[in-house]
Amino acid sequence: MRTVDSTTAGGPRGNGATGAPSALHPPLDAELAAVLAATPDVPTTVTPEMLGPLREAVAAGAEPLTVIAERHGVAIRTVTVPRSGIPDLELLVARPPGTPRGAAALYWIHGGGVVLGDHRFGLDLPLAWAREFGVPVVSVDYRLAPADPDPAAVEDCYAGLVWTVEHAAELAIDPSRIVLAGHSAGAGLAAGTALLARDRGGPRAVGQLLLCPMLDDRELTPASRQLDGVGVWDRTANRTAWRARLGERCGGPAVGAYSAPARATDLAGLPPAFVDVGSVDTFRDEAVGYAGRIWAAGGDAELHVWPGAYHCFEIYAPGAAISVAAVERRTAWLARVLRAG
């Protein structure tokens, strides 16, 4: 799947973005590079024509909930939230055995560019923490683009968070100790959900765990232009996903901060954030900038940039030294937040 659409990868975007792709990028970590070279089906790029087959492949490869539950030793059920005028919302609830009433919880938002996946996608990450810390996980099955364009996904994520808090007694969780967590596009949606909650006076999470977050549709940073056919989720893949979600608004003035949180002009009053990203990741500069602007607004953020790491490095190469270190740092932050909460 390591092909690049040469008609778009280096050409003008046509939506206000500027800057030619760069042949320069930071060197890959040797361990991570070896794994990437040995895994040819890892999607370096995604073109619009690839979206349908890729979505079908992900759906076909999705594990049954019983298999996921057995692997992690948790009980899993799904909850359907009825809604008027729009499709019902489905949430997955996973609970480790022996979890006491009033436990904290992780509200998980899956990755996939907002164009693929469901509430099972990427669950191995939060379920490992569920067992380690004895906390339930609630994972939201938000609507996907392009069938359901923006703002469907972020509104679904916010609605799921509101439902989770309103049904905290039923879920046997403490509504004041919910950590918003997401990976890639899910991390961008988590950031947008935190902004929505702040501005609407909704539930305040105790923390936001933003793993390689997808935050900006404008393709303005060096990192967003450096990677063509390099690593995982290059410039073309990023452009494909954002345009599927935003359509002709992509890169223009009509996109709001809840959809692309890097556009937010005010990052004050948000929950403490953990932000990490690789140095060879399309999202590197927008993630670094987001953490910096949280600090500038007087907020709390912990930032890690992993040298030589590409997008989703800890998923594709979990045994690499840098992947182990990254997961340890995330886990340590989560432990502090859960204790403080």
Side-chain angles (χ1 to χ4, degrees):
M1 199 175 287
R2 257 176 242 285
T3 60
V4 176
D5 184 346
S6 60
T7 63
T8 59
R13 191 174 184 194
N15 62 358
T18 60
S22 170
L24 299 175
H25 60 80
L28 287 169
D29 174 86
E31 276 190 287
L32 298 182
V35 170
L36 200 58
T39 318
D41 59 338
V42 173
T44 292
T45 199
V46 178
T47 63
E49 296 75 23
M50 295 166 62
L51 277 181
L54 185 58
R55 186 182 294 112
E56 291 173 5
V58 169
E63 293 182 306
L65 293 181
T66 52
V67 172
I68 298 172
E70 183 176 358
R71 180 166 66 250
H72 290 280
V74 297
I76 293 181
R77 64 187 178 98
T78 57
V79 176
T80 300
V81 180
R83 300 192 290 184
S84 177
I86 56 175
D88 294 345
L89 183 65
E90 188 166 278
L91 301 170
L92 178 153
V93 180
R95 192 175 188 89
T99 301
R101 293 192 63 84
L106 298 178
Y107 183 79
W108 177 252
I109 305 178
H110 72 81
V114 195
V115 293
L116 56 87
D118 63 15
H119 49 20
R120 293 169 291 180
F121 198 62
L123 264 182
D124 285 342
L125 285 173
L127 289 185
W129 289 317
R131 286 301 306 268
E132 180 163 355
F133 296 114
V135 297
V137 171
V138 179
S139 179
V140 57
D141 192 14
Y142 57 83
R143 286 170 288 173
L144 300 177
D148 291 289
D150 179 76
V154 71
E155 290 289 353
D156 286 353
C157 293
Y158 178 72
L161 177 64
V162 170
W163 184 92
T164 298
V165 169
E166 291 178 346
H167 291 78
E170 172 189 333
L171 298 172
I173 63 173
D174 181 345
S176 69
R177 297 174 64 214
I178 296 174
V179 175
L180 271 173
H183 196 279
S184 188
L189 289 169
T193 299
L195 288 166
L196 270 174
R198 180 197 65 183
D199 295 348
R200 292 180 179 175
R204 178 179 170 82
V206 72
Q208 46 180 337
L209 185 63
L210 309 179
L211 309 179
C212 55
M214 181 179 180
L215 300 167
D216 201 340
D217 63 300
R218 295 169 294 182
E219 202 173 296
L220 298 176
T221 67
S224 70
R225 302 191 297 267
Q226 277 184 328
L227 304 178
D228 276 294
V230 176
V232 174
W233 199 262
D234 69 352
R235 184 187 193 190
T236 299
N238 197 40
R239 181 182 302 169
T240 296
W242 276 115
R243 289 192 67 85
R245 183 178 173 191
L246 301 175
E248 291 306 311
R249 294 185 296 132
C250 187
V255 178
Y258 308 132
S259 304
R263 290 174 173 263
T265 58
D266 177 13
L267 295 183
L270 293 172
F274 180 98
V275 183
D276 78 349
V277 70
S279 68
V280 197
D281 191 324
T282 298
F283 303 145
R284 180 193 67 217
D285 298 335
E286 59 205 63
V288 170
Y290 200 72
R293 291 173 56 225
I294 290 174
W295 294 323
D300 180 357
E302 179 175 328
L303 170 68
H304 294 273
V305 180
W306 299 101
Y310 44 74
H311 194 60
C312 298
F313 65 101
E314 81 289 19
I315 295 174
Y316 294 118
I322 202 163
S323 300
V324 173
V327 172
E328 287 177 349
R329 292 311 308 153
R330 298 168 180 178
T331 304
W333 177 87
L334 189 56
R336 290 200 309 274
V337 168
L338 292 175
R339 284 198 302 267

